[in-house]
Amino acid sequence: MRGLRKYLTPFAPDQSGAVSVLYEFGGIIAICDAGGCTGNICGFDEPRWFESKSALFSAGLRDMDAILGRDDKLVAKLADAVTKLDAKFAAIIGTPVPAVIGTDYHALKRMTEKKVDLPIMTVDTDGMALYDEGEEKAWMELFLTFAGQKEEVVKDRIGILGMTPQDVSDLHAADRIREHFAKEGKTAVCYGMGNGLDDVKSVSNVEKNIVVSPAAIKAAQYLERTYGTPYEMGYPLVDELVCDMDYHGKKILIVQQQVIGCAIREEILKKAPDAQVTVTSWFMMKPELRKDTDLHLRDEDDYINLVEKEAYDVIYADPCMKRMAPKFDGNFIDTIHFAVSGHLADARGSED
């Protein structure tokens, strides 16, 4: 049955992805909702909330506010918040409420700019798409708003685009990426996880960008067009994810976000060129990375039927997916993906 879920929890929606991109940049983030979407973001979708805070607010829309489109109330609340917080910008994130009433985000941005003396961003998410589509919109809006004039390129300075907990599934991945490049005498700038707004403003001074999630590909293409900064797609820590085993002649399925999935495939094929490797995802499958055998998963039955039909020898997937195919008798390699299972307990436990 289409849409029926017996094993997987609901995936984070697009407004959660937009918040995840902007979480560490020091702005006031206003969720244009009645309170429920903000509660889900803080309680379920954003693992950093348990160890660090962000200025994240609900617009607190009441029924008549939504029905009458009282944008002036939201603007007034933002203007008041700005007087009490040291914020670098204000971002208004859409939800199903403004989508239903047809909120004009360009007009809302202009209204807010007249009352609030800060850069204003709006992200027109509607709660109907998944987290990565919200991330894609937020990355673009971030660089369109804050990327400055072309600067001289700094040798051995590398930009890392697409870093969010939902995509890299490790709250300490950015630190390890910086350490990884430091050993090569290079500086890694992990936008959104440890590197802030000043680095976004100087985004043109990196030698190249490395895109670690499909949600950041459009932003990388924009930066290439605007500043001539080349980019490549991959995951610098992929060695940590690939299990040391014999892959020769094996049939392998990888279920992950597309960039990491393809990076795992490349590593496996280096070890065993004769392996048959298929990358699938519940999320974006960009044509830039997709091969003919790759698949997009929509429902649980898609995955269950695929495993039963194709007789894979090895599966790389989130641990929560083990029980979806109990008859699978090959090697199941745990490859955590926060966006699939959340794994907030794992994220919090890593600090204990």
Side-chain angles (χ1 to χ4, degrees):
M1 180 184 296
R2 281 292 181 190
L4 176 65
R5 293 201 175 184
K6 297 184 290 183
Y7 305 100
L8 298 176
T9 58
F11 298 148
D14 53 1
Q15 67 260 19
S16 296
V19 170
S20 189
V21 168
L22 302 176
Y23 191 85
E24 293 189 19
F25 287 114
I28 294 174
I29 305 173
I31 313 298
C32 202
D33 72 335
C37 296
T38 304
N40 284 338
I41 291 167
C42 297
F44 301 100
D45 298 337
E46 181 46 70
R48 285 172 292 187
W49 189 256
F50 294 96
E51 62 176 40
S52 63
K53 303 304 180 187
S54 183
L56 179 62
F57 297 93
S58 168
L61 295 175
R62 304 277 70 86
D63 291 348
M64 292 309 294
D65 295 334
I67 291 169
L68 298 175
R70 291 171 175 166
D71 295 335
D72 57 317
K73 285 199 168 186
L74 173 58
V75 173
K77 289 179 180 179
L78 272 174
D80 180 58
V82 166
T83 65
K84 300 173 181 177
L85 296 170
D86 182 18
K88 299 176 181 177
F89 64 90
I92 301 171
I93 311 297
T95 69
V97 174
V100 168
I101 64 175
T103 295
D104 183 338
Y105 286 94
H106 294 292
L108 182 56
K109 179 176 180 177
R110 290 194 297 271
M111 284 177 59
T112 309
E113 287 173 338
K114 291 178 181 178
K115 299 291 185 179
V116 178
D117 187 24
L118 285 176
I120 306 298
M121 299 169 55
T122 57
V123 185
D124 62 343
T125 45
D126 60 13
M128 298 294 107
L130 296 179
Y131 85 97
D132 49 353
E133 293 191 33
E135 287 186 350
E136 185 173 68
K137 290 180 177 181
W139 284 121
M140 282 298 299
E141 187 67 18
L142 179 71
F143 289 114
L144 285 169
T145 303
F146 291 108
Q149 297 294 317
K150 173 67 175 174
E151 297 182 6
E152 185 176 346
V153 172
V154 177
K155 188 176 185 301
D156 293 328
R157 186 172 172 86
I158 310 297
I160 311 294
L161 292 172
M163 293 289 292
T164 70
Q166 284 83 357
D167 279 312
V168 299
S169 305
D170 181 350
L171 297 184
H172 304 289
D175 292 333
R176 297 210 309 283
I177 287 175
R178 281 186 276 267
E179 291 171 4
H180 170 86
F181 281 101
K183 291 176 182 177
E184 301 176 1
K186 299 178 180 179
T187 300
V189 182
C190 299
Y191 303 105
M193 287 188 78
N195 289 96
L197 204 58
D198 287 341
D199 292 307
V200 171
K201 293 176 181 178
S202 300
V203 67
S204 62
N205 69 13
V206 300
E207 278 192 337
K208 68 175 178 179
N209 286 311
I210 298 177
V211 181
V212 299
S213 77
I217 293 175
K218 279 190 176 180
Q221 293 169 339
Y222 165 75
L223 295 173
E224 184 179 53
R225 291 194 306 270
T226 305
Y227 303 113
T229 309
Y231 72 93
E232 61 187 53
M233 292 175 278
Y235 189 55
L237 304 179
V238 67
D239 287 348
E240 299 178 3
L241 303 178
V242 178
C243 183
D244 186 15
M245 59 184 294
D246 181 11
Y247 294 101
H248 288 285
K250 299 291 178 64
K251 195 170 186 179
I252 303 160
L253 178 68
I254 302 170
V255 188
Q256 248 290 343
Q257 58 101 323
Q258 192 186 20
V259 172
I260 288 181
C262 289
I264 293 173
R265 170 165 55 197
E266 290 177 10
E267 287 299 304
I268 290 174
L269 292 177
K270 288 178 185 177
K271 301 173 183 286
D274 60 338
Q276 300 178 53
V277 188
T278 298
V279 174
T280 65
S281 182
W282 303 101
F283 307 101
M284 286 180 174
M285 291 293 286
K286 294 287 190 177
E288 295 94 329
L289 290 166
R290 191 167 184 167
K291 294 191 175 182
D292 292 341
T293 58
D294 292 348
L295 300 166
H296 178 259
L297 300 172
R298 178 180 173 185
D299 297 300
E300 290 181 351
D301 285 345
D302 293 343
Y303 171 77
I304 294 169
N305 294 334
L306 182 65
V307 174
E308 291 178 352
K309 176 184 175 184
E310 297 297 333
Y312 292 104
D313 300 298
V314 181
I315 295 178
Y316 278 81
D318 191 276
C320 77
M321 294 174 60
K322 284 182 181 177
R323 58 182 183 152
M324 294 173 66
K327 294 181 180 179
F328 173 70
D329 58 0
N331 291 307
F332 190 102
I333 312 299
D334 291 350
T335 313
I336 292 174
H337 190 186
F338 280 178
V340 173
S341 59
H343 281 280
L344 284 184
D346 292 340
R348 296 169 70 182
S350 65
E351 296 297 309
D352 297 336

